[in-house]
Structures are given as structure tokens and as C-alpha cells.
Amino acid sequence: MSQSFETTTELFGSNVFNESTMKERLPKDVFKSFKKVLSGEKVLDVDTANVIANAMKDWAIEKGATHYCHWFQPMTGLTAEKHDSFISPVGDGTTVMEFSGKELIQGEPDASSFPSGGLRVTFEARGYTAWDCTSPVFVKEDGKNITLFIPSAFCSYNGQALDKKTPLLRSMDALNKQAVRVLKALGNTTTNRVTSTLGPEQEYFLVDRTFYEARLDLVLAGRTLFGAPSPRGQEMDDHYFGTLHERVASYMNEINVELWKLGVSAKTQHNEVSPAQYELAPIFATVNVATDHNHLTMETMEKVANRHGFVCLLHEKPFAGVNGSGKHVNWSIGTDCGINLLDPGDTPHDNMVFLVFLTAIIRAVDKYAKLLRASVANTGNDHRLGANEAPPAIVSIFLGDQLTDIVSQLAEGGAKESKQGGQLELGISTLPPLPRDCTDRNRTSPFAFTGNRFEFRMVGSSQSTSGPVFVLNTIVAEVLSEFAEVIEKDSSNTAVQALLSKYVKEHHRILFNGDNYAAEWPIEAAKRGLPNLKSTVDSILSINDKENVAVFEAQNVLSEEELEARMDILLEAYSMKINIEAKTMIQMAKRQIIPACTEYSATLADAVASITAAGVDASAQKDVLTKVCGLISELSGAVAALEAGLEKAGAIEETDKQAISFRDDVFAACTPVRQAADSLEQIVDAEIWPLPTYAEMLFLR
Ligand code: ADP
Ligand code: MG
């Protein structure tokens, strides 16, 4: 399909069957009826679905599509798609192109090869995909293949969630229900629906494809498993917001065009802190659409990189010693009347609705801190959290001066005033006075209030935003339901003040405006009794704690069985990832690094012999030779220990014990292998060293 667009406004959403396209192409009554489905007033009936499917098909075919697919998000954390063509042979050797409402609404992919955590045994292979009609369908071009994509949920024969979208949608319902209850109890009669919103900032690295292809670790594990530090790292602070390199800027431009066609509102782009690191942020949308869009963004970043001779690395920590990549989850709650419930307004102390929602969030985050921590747990994030560039594994909330002051007033019985930001004095007569925000930013906080939303900064760059968001929605819904119970009985100012006062006092320990990267914070946090689950395994093992099962069941987001299945899948994924990393390390050490170092030591030995034979002192060469040989033997020993660890972990049957062993016997045994190899890299002849270096990968483009 080659279309030319005069303007960005024409291009934007051109591949999306969005509301405006529907309005144009659907009969009026069908469009109206579908709008009711979208607002939750009715369910989609087959007749309406048939008309919509037919219009979609015609539109997609005009765009060059030959196939459709239900696009879903299995527990791999990636997306999945199975394409079917529209052809429907009529019996005389010709075909028509057909697409029915049934095919639009429901698909039946074989589910047996997706992780299910025991929810489905292999011989019970049936799985269903169901159209999420709140996320618009779109046409995607992959090379010459053009397909109509239908965002879908994925469940088992018994209706159990096998994906990341189902709990997200359920959590949106839960939050909607409880938030509307609270609003009604507080006297709001205009709100019919409340939705959570998400703006994910996506960080990523770009490396030149030739370097990538020369590194098995990048190809197989997505991160460097070896690599001595570059003589220059990020200490100059010159990359963050620095001038865009032309090749990178062209890449960004092409991502934007691709994303805009898909209706993804890519908005902000800039260089990040580490050399070769960048960020893209869209304009926020409802959490399910934003999550779908974030998947499209990650996929597009990887795809477009190939066209520019780059590889896009979405791993949380592709390079040791420089910043890793996160995905800051900006999250808020808004009403169908367009009100952002987390907007404090100019005088937050008398904004009761805001204070109720704020207090609910404070209570939810403190009460379920371990669950939030678990929602961002993966092997990649273990390298990032607490590594002086990202918040530690301790969940805390930053409120800033103004709200902290108001919360203190609440604790004392009632909020009476709001501190104001005033004006910014620059001392330059030609510049107008600028208003100052009443609160500064805190870049070190894992969960920071940023003016009219919270920014959950622990999320890893490769992770689906679904997990962290459905946890947030669920725990906040739960606390709102507690609040609703109270306010529905007595909504007087005194009663609500008393409720808020009680909870801000009870959860004061979760509030922390200081430096989360400081060495003193974990000590202080321990005194406050805040959990600090440093490893993925520990935090995953806390997922099925009693209170977590209870909150997911109470809010109808996940049953105990579904939750346990998820825990199993996460533990298995941990073990598999560490297994791959360890095996890749062993292979690179044995087949690339040790042979290269052996070659170098042989050259050195020859040199020592011939220099000595010439009657010259060869002690300097001999010193290097001794060091190289010593390190080779250290490396061989470490590799053998790692192999033993792998054997031990591999033999364990129980998922939880195996994950613990992969952490303690395998992951831990990787460190000495890397140390020996990185030491060798620093003394072995650059001509012989078999891998591209950090300096090359981070600085050459
Ligand atoms: P910063 O780097 O200063 O935190 P960015 O502009 O990079 O800010 O990203 C902020 C993100 O927050 C954007 O994706 C933006 O759309 C999003 N955002 C703004 N308002 C809301 C809201 N009400 N709900 C969710 N996300 C929001
Ligand atoms: Mg931000």
C-alpha cells in the first residue's frame, strides 16, 4: 500500500478504524448502538457485530489488507497474532472476501503452546480470544503483508485469564465501580463512568547492528553478559537532552510516522542519560488503549531500527555501569465528564474529592506495597532497581511540599490552607515572570506525585504496562470500596475528615520526599517497617500472600487459581531467563574468550622466549603472560562452577525451589565468570579480543 499524506493530521490514525471512520462508514443506528456498547450501557449483539465486521473488512481491503488477526497478549509479556485471510471460495473456482461478526468477536487459537501456569493441560488445548472493542482495530503493514488487527483478550476453555489484557479490563471495571460509588456518596451526580489513564515513557538503547551481530549475549539475552567499562561512560552528563545525532533523529522520525498512522500519539523524544539511550513518550490514553499502544511502540521501535542499521534494545540493563532503562508509568483517574480526579486544583485543601482519592491511593500503596513491587519484578529489573539510577526495591510515595503539608494538616484533624508556588524570579528584565509549580520534582522516588497524576517509576522498559496498572487499579478500587462503605453511611464533612485523618496517620510511613538513592534510605525504611524485596524471586513468592489473594478476589480481577498460575509462570520465566544467560555465558567464555586469550598467551610466550634468546630482559612481557594465564585459569574455574550450578538448578522439580536455586547457584555464579573475563578484556590485545567493546557499542553510531 503506498499512500501519500500531505500533512501529519491526515496521516494520524489513517490506519485505524476509529470513531470518526466508524461514524462515516456505519449506518447511524449501528454507530449509535456501538457507542452504547463502548460506554458499557449494553452488550454487543450479533447483528450489530455483523454490520461492523463487514464495514471493517471493506475498509481494511481498501487499505490493501488480505488478512485479519486477533491480536492478544499472552503471559510471555509479548504479543501474539494468528492471521486468517478474508477469502471465502464460492465453489466455482472464484472467491469472495468475507468477515463475519462472529469472526470479529471471537477467535479460537490453539492455546497449548502459551504459558498457562497449569491452568490448562496440553491436551485441553482450547483457548479463546475475545475482541476488546474499547481498543480500536487497525491495519498493520509488515513488509508486503497487510493485516487487520483486532485487539483481543485471551482466556481458557473455562474462562480463566491466560493473558495480560483480561485482568487489566477487569481492573478497569473494578475501579470504575468503586470510584463512581465514592463520587456518588460525596454528592457527585453527573459522573457515570470513571477510567484510569496511562502515559508510559519508554526508554531504550540503540546499538549498531554490526556490533549486535558480533555479540551472542545481545542476540540471545538482550543484554551484555560481558564487557569491561568504557574509559568514558555517562560522567560528562552530556547525553541527557543532548543534540540528536542525525542517524538517530531519522530513526525517531520514522518511528513517529509509523506510530501516528496507527493512532499512537507519539509526542516527546529525547536523548536519555546513558550514551546510546533514548526515550519516547506518547500522550496519555485509557490504560487499555495505552497498553496496546505501548506494545505497538516497542514493536515499531525494534522493526524500524533494522531499517536504519540499528538494533533497539528494550532490556532494563543492556550495559553494566551506565543507566538502565525504565518505563515510567504515569497513571491517573478521570471521569466521563473530563475531570481528572488527581488534579488538586489551586486550593487542594478544600478539594474533598481529590483528598479522598489521594488518601485512598496512599493507603493502597502502603497496604499492598509488596504487590506493587512484584508487578515490576523481572530478571532485567533486578539489575536496575537500587543501582543508583533507579529507585530501590522499596516502595514509597513522594507527594512534594504542598501535599505533604496538606496531609499533615489532615492528620491533625482538617486541612485549612494550601501553600502556593508563587512566581519564578529569573532576574532578567526582558523575560516575563513565570509561574512556579507549588511542588518540585523528585526523580528518585518510585511513586511520585507529578502535578495531576502519579508516576510509577519502578516499571522496567521491557515490561507490559498491564501488570503494574492492573495492580494499581485493583488495590485502589479495594480501598475506595472501604471508603464508600463509610461515606455512604455518613458523608458529612466531619465524617469524611475523620476517615482521611485516620488513614493518613496510619500510612504516614509510606510518604518519603527525600533522596531514594541515598544509602541511609534503606536503613530508615527498615525502621519504618517498609518491605525491601531486593530480588525478583523473593517478590514473586509474595504474590499469593493472603491479603493479595483476597484483594484480587474481592475486586473480581483474578481468582486464587489464576493468581497462583501467574506466580508459577513468573517463576518459570525467571529460571528460564537465567538459564539462557548462564548457558550463553558459558558458550561465549569457552568458544570465544578463552580461545582468544589462549592465542594471546601463546603469542606472549613466544615473545618472551625470543626476547630472552636475544639477550634482552623480558620481565614486562612475562608479567603480562603470568597475569593472562592466571586470569584464564580463574575464568575456567568460574565457568566450571557455573556449570555445576546449572546442573544443580536444572535437576530441581518444584518451580519455586528451582527459581531460588537459579538465583543462588546460577545467577550468583555468573559474577565471577564476568569478572575474570572483563579483567582479561582490559589487558588482552585489542586485535585479538573477539567481542565489540562497550566504548564501540555506546559511542559509535
Ligand atoms: P516527564 O519526563 O517530565 O515526566 P513526559 O512528558 O516525558 O514527562 O511524560 C509525561 C507522561 O505523562 C506523558 O505520557 C503524558 O501524556 C502523561 N500524562 C499526563 N497527564 C496524564 C494523566 N492525567 N494520566 C496519565 N498520564 C498522564
Ligand atoms: Mg516522567
Side-chain angles (χ1 to χ4, degrees):
M1 179 177 69
S2 66
Q3 283 171 328
S4 60
F5 296 96
E6 295 287 319
T7 61
T8 304
T9 45
E10 255 181 76
L11 176 89
F12 190 85
S14 55
N15 281 356
V16 187
F17 197 69
N18 50 26
E19 212 176 297
S20 101
T21 312
M22 280 196 217
K23 198 168 180 181
E24 209 178 279
R25 291 182 171 249
L26 293 176
K28 254 202 186 103
D29 56 324
V30 174
F31 179 71
K32 259 197 192 151
S33 166
F34 185 65
K35 287 277 283 180
K36 286 202 171 130
V37 174
L38 288 182
S39 63
E41 287 166 72
K42 61 180 273 192
V43 286
L44 188 63
D45 60 82
V46 182
D47 292 339
T48 311
N50 276 329
V51 180
I52 297 175
N54 198 48
M56 264 178 197
K57 176 208 68 187
D58 291 344
W59 170 82
I61 288 173
E62 282 168 33
K63 298 259 164 209
T66 50
H67 287 68
Y68 68 92
C69 83
H70 277 214
W71 180 60
F72 56 104
Q73 298 161 20
M75 289 298 297
T76 54
L78 305 170
T79 57
E81 57 198 47
K82 176 186 157 214
H83 300 204
D84 280 295
S85 72
F86 291 120
I87 62 162
S88 176
V90 284
D92 62 354
T94 63
T95 187
V96 290
M97 300 292 257
E98 269 180 359
F99 185 49
S100 70
K102 189 170 170 287
E103 287 165 315
L104 167 63
I105 295 174
Q106 189 179 0
E108 200 207 316
D110 181 339
S112 58
S113 294
F114 293 105
S116 78
L119 281 182
R120 198 212 52 243
V121 275
T122 316
F123 61 88
E124 289 168 355
R126 246 183 231 278
Y128 295 101
T129 49
W131 178 33
D132 166 19
C133 62
T134 58
S135 181
V137 305
F138 54 92
V139 152
K140 196 151 79 69
E141 306 157 353
D142 292 299
K144 288 205 164 135
N145 192 58
I146 301 174
T147 302
L148 175 69
F149 272 62
I150 305 161
S152 301
F154 178 46
C155 67
S156 75
Y157 185 69
N158 296 318
Q160 288 150 321
L162 293 176
D163 69 342
K164 300 210 168 215
K165 191 187 256 287
T166 306
L168 183 64
L169 294 175
R170 290 180 187 159
S171 78
M172 290 174 79
D173 276 348
L175 186 66
N176 168 45
K177 194 165 148 198
Q178 303 307 334
V180 169
R181 251 182 95 188
V182 166
L183 289 174
K184 287 227 153 74
L186 288 170
N188 175 321
T189 50
T190 47
T191 301
N192 293 310
R193 204 169 171 80
V194 165
T195 323
S196 46
T197 49
L198 163 67
E201 298 163 50
Q202 178 70 51
E203 294 178 342
Y204 60 99
F205 277 83
L206 289 178
V207 293
D208 193 280
R209 189 155 193 102
T210 46
F211 296 140
Y212 172 87
E213 283 172 357
R215 301 225 23 156
L216 197 64
D217 47 4
L218 285 182
V219 173
L220 298 184
R223 75 176 181 102
T224 54
L225 299 167
F226 296 102
S230 158
R232 174 174 174 171
Q234 63 189 39
E235 64 274 43
M236 301 292 287
D237 290 331
D238 54 353
H239 196 255
Y240 189 56
F241 285 1
T243 315
L244 293 182
H245 190 281
E246 201 169 287
R247 185 173 163 205
V248 173
S250 303
Y251 164 75
M252 289 177 168
N253 171 59
E254 200 169 326
I255 297 181
N256 290 334
V257 169
E258 293 291 340
L259 289 178
W260 289 339
K261 279 197 257 179
L262 295 169
V264 179
S265 52
K267 168 91 174 159
T268 308
Q269 59 196 26
H270 59 79
N271 284 0
E272 258 300 329
V273 171
S274 167
Q277 191 188 26
Y278 310 92
E279 178 181 305
L280 183 155
I283 296 170
F284 71 94
T286 58
V287 295
N288 67 321
V289 171
T291 295
D292 289 352
H293 282 181
N294 183 247
H295 276 296
L296 286 175
T297 302
M298 291 194 283
E299 194 189 298
T300 305
M301 282 175 164
E302 289 179 324
K303 189 162 89 177
V304 173
N306 286 332
R307 301 183 199 154
H308 292 259
F310 282 129
V311 171
C312 172
L313 304 175
L314 293 168
H315 193 282
E316 282 75 15
K317 192 78 176 178
F319 301 98
V322 291
N323 273 21
S325 297
K327 171 145 48 200
H328 299 170
V329 158
N330 292 272
W331 171 88
S332 190
I333 314 174
T335 72
D336 54 351
C337 311
I339 293 167
N340 178 353
L341 295 169
L342 298 188
D343 186 349
D346 292 335
T347 51
H349 68 280
D350 60 17
N351 185 344
M352 188 58 98
V353 169
F354 170 74
L355 293 177
V356 167
F357 278 84
L358 178 70
T359 308
I361 293 169
I362 293 174
R363 174 162 166 73
V365 171
D366 187 29
K367 200 168 166 200
Y368 300 102
K370 285 193 333 199
L371 202 49
L372 276 176
R373 162 67 183 103
S375 77
V376 300
N378 77 2
T379 52
N381 237 359
D382 276 2
H383 296 276
R384 180 179 159 257
L385 296 178
N388 272 337
E389 63 196 43
I394 308 162
V395 175
S396 70
I397 300 178
F398 168 85
L399 286 184
D401 293 343
Q402 189 194 46
L403 293 186
T404 304
D405 177 55
I406 290 173
V407 163
S408 307
Q409 295 180 49
L410 278 178
E412 282 153 26
K416 306 216 164 40
E417 56 168 19
S418 305
K419 284 188 181 175
Q420 297 300 329
Q423 282 191 344
L424 204 58
E425 292 301 338
L426 288 175
I428 304 168
S429 59
T430 48
L431 293 184
L434 303 173
R436 173 167 48 204
D437 290 301
C438 40
T439 297
D440 199 359
R441 294 277 196 128
N442 182 328
R443 289 272 172 200
T444 69
S445 174
F447 197 80
F449 187 75
T450 54
N452 59 3
R453 60 188 184 269
F454 276 97
E455 182 171 348
F456 187 20
R457 302 173 68 249
M458 290 171 102
V459 185
S461 49
S462 74
Q463 296 180 308
S464 160
T465 47
S466 162
V469 170
F470 83 67
V471 167
L472 264 173
N473 283 352
T474 307
I475 61 180
V476 171
E478 174 74 7
V479 175
L480 289 173
S481 79
E482 282 173 21
F483 283 19
E485 294 291 327
V486 177
I487 306 172
E488 278 163 358
K489 288 194 187 92
D490 183 354
S491 63
S492 67
N493 229 355
T494 340
V496 180
Q497 288 278 8
L499 174 84
L500 301 187
S501 173
K502 174 180 164 206
Y503 285 127
V504 294
K505 273 193 264 182
E506 189 177 326
H507 299 291
H508 201 262
R509 64 171 190 169
I510 196 77
L511 304 179
F512 180 59
N513 285 349
D515 181 0
N516 285 254
Y517 299 179
E520 301 81 47
W521 171 232
I523 303 165
E524 160 73 13
K527 278 194 207 138
R528 296 186 185 192
L530 298 176
N532 184 1
L533 296 170
K534 289 198 187 127
S535 88
T536 284
V537 179
D538 287 335
S539 83
I540 296 174
L541 287 171
S542 76
I543 287 181
N544 67 347
D545 285 359
K546 244 186 12 250
E547 67 269 24
N548 298 341
V549 175
V551 68
F552 279 123
E553 292 212 313
Q555 294 308 319
N556 295 316
V557 173
L558 289 172
S559 67
E560 181 166 9
E561 216 187 351
E562 287 172 323
L563 191 63
E564 300 249 347
R566 253 150 232 270
M567 198 171 124
D568 249 40
I569 292 170
L570 292 170
L571 287 170
E572 263 172 25
Y574 178 86
S575 298
M576 287 187 292
K577 282 212 172 123
I578 301 294
N579 188 39
I580 291 171
E581 289 193 352
K583 288 198 303 193
T584 306
M585 265 192 130
I586 292 169
Q587 191 165 125
M588 289 172 76
K590 281 188 167 172
R591 300 189 56 209
Q592 292 186 284
I593 299 173
I594 295 177
C597 296
T598 306
E599 185 188 332
Y600 182 51
S601 59
T603 314
L604 277 173
D606 287 350
V608 171
S610 47
I611 292 169
T612 312
V616 183
D617 176 19
S619 54
Q621 289 76 5
K622 221 170 158 180
D623 279 353
V624 181
L625 178 60
T626 310
K627 255 193 211 147
V628 170
C629 291
L631 284 167
I632 295 176
S633 102
E634 201 179 307
L635 177 57
S636 306
V639 167
L642 178 56
E643 285 174 322
L646 263 180
E647 197 163 327
K648 184 173 167 196
I652 299 173
E653 302 245 321
E654 299 96 315
T655 316
D656 49 350
K657 296 209 176 83
Q658 185 174 55
I660 292 171
S661 175
F662 265 105
R663 180 191 62 193
D664 298 343
D665 303 314
V666 181
F667 179 65
C670 291
T671 309
V673 176
R674 176 164 188 161
Q675 275 167 351
D678 290 0
S679 302
L680 279 163
E681 185 185 333
Q682 283 159 305
I683 51 172
V684 167
D685 184 350
E687 296 292 324
I688 294 178
W689 192 254
L691 304 169
T693 64
Y694 266 38
E696 289 166 324
M697 289 184 286
L698 290 170
F699 287 93
L700 297 185
R701 52 199 137 263

